[in-house]
Amino acid sequence: MAHALRVMTRELFFYNASTGTCAAGRLSTDGNFTGLTTGGGLSPWTHVAAVGRELFFYNASSGACAAGRLSTDGNFTGLTTGGGLSTDWTHMDAVGRELFFYNASTGACAAGRLSTDGNFTGLTTGGGLSTDWTHMDAVDRELFFYNASTGACAAGRLSTDGNFTGLTTGGGLSTDWTHMDAVDRELFFYNASTGACAAGRLSTDGNFTGLTTGGGLSTDWTHMDAVGRELFFYNASTGACAAGRLSTDGNFTGLTTGGGLSTGWTHVVAVTG
C-alpha cells in the first residue's frame, strides 16, 4: 500500500505467495502502466510492505521475515532473511522506516524498524487496541483503522521509537468498503461488488472528514494501490488493470484501462523512497 508524505517513485511490485514469483512495472502520471521485470524464487510470505525502496516480507504462520530492495529499473535483490517475530499479525503497514503490526483478533500491536540494508529491529510491543478492524493504512505518521462491518473508524500516531498513541475514535462511515488506500492525506474507499467509491481526509490530530461519494467504477478489482496521486487497480482473475487520479478535494478521475498482466498476483505494492 502507498502512503502520505513519502517521496514516491513510480514502481509497483507484484508477488504471488503461491508460486514465489514476482514482477515489477511502472505507472506514469497519466496512468499508463509499463512492465519492467519478472522473476521468482521467493518464499511464501503472507504480508509485504514497502519501506523506502526496501520490501519487507512477513509470514504470519511462522514468524519468519525477510527483506529485499527494488531498483528503479524493476530488479529485485534479496537482502536479509530472519525470523523470531510473533505469529498471527493480521495487518502490517510501514510508517516511515517503522513497521506497525496489528492483530485484529486480540487488539495486540507491535512496531519495529527496517534499516536500508534490510535489517529489522524490534522496538515495542503493546495491546489494548480495539479488535476487528478490517482495514489499516498509514497517513504520514498517523494510522487510520476502519471496520467494514460496522462503519467504525479510529486513528492513532506512531512515533519514530515505535510508540503508538491513540488519537480519535468515531463511526458513521459507510459499511462494506472492500479496499481503502491513502493518497497523501486523503483516503480513498472502493467497493469491489458495486463499483462505488468515496474519499475523505485525515487531519494530523486524527479527525476524519468525508469529502466525496461516487460510483461507476468497474467491479471486481482485487487490488488497489496509490502511486503518487494516482490509483492503480488490478484484477487477479483476469489480469485487467486501470488507473485514475484523486484530487485533493476528493474527486476521482479515470485515466486508463488495460489488461494483459499476469493473473494470480496475491500482493501488489507501490514502492516508496
Side-chain angles (χ1 to χ4, degrees), residues 165-188:
T165 304
L167 294 171
T168 59
T169 56
L173 278 68
S174 297
T175 58
D176 299 325
W177 297 119
T178 55
H179 297 65
M180 178 184 81
D181 209 357
V183 183
D184 196 16
R185 293 215 64 94
E186 287 71 57
L187 286 150
F188 185 79

Side-chain angles (χ1 to χ4, degrees), residues 132-153:
D132 300 325
W133 298 119
T134 55
H135 297 67
M136 178 183 81
D137 206 1
V139 182
D140 190 20
R141 300 243 28 124
E142 286 71 58
L143 285 151
F144 184 79
F145 300 83
Y146 165 70
N147 184 315
S149 298
T150 65
C153 63

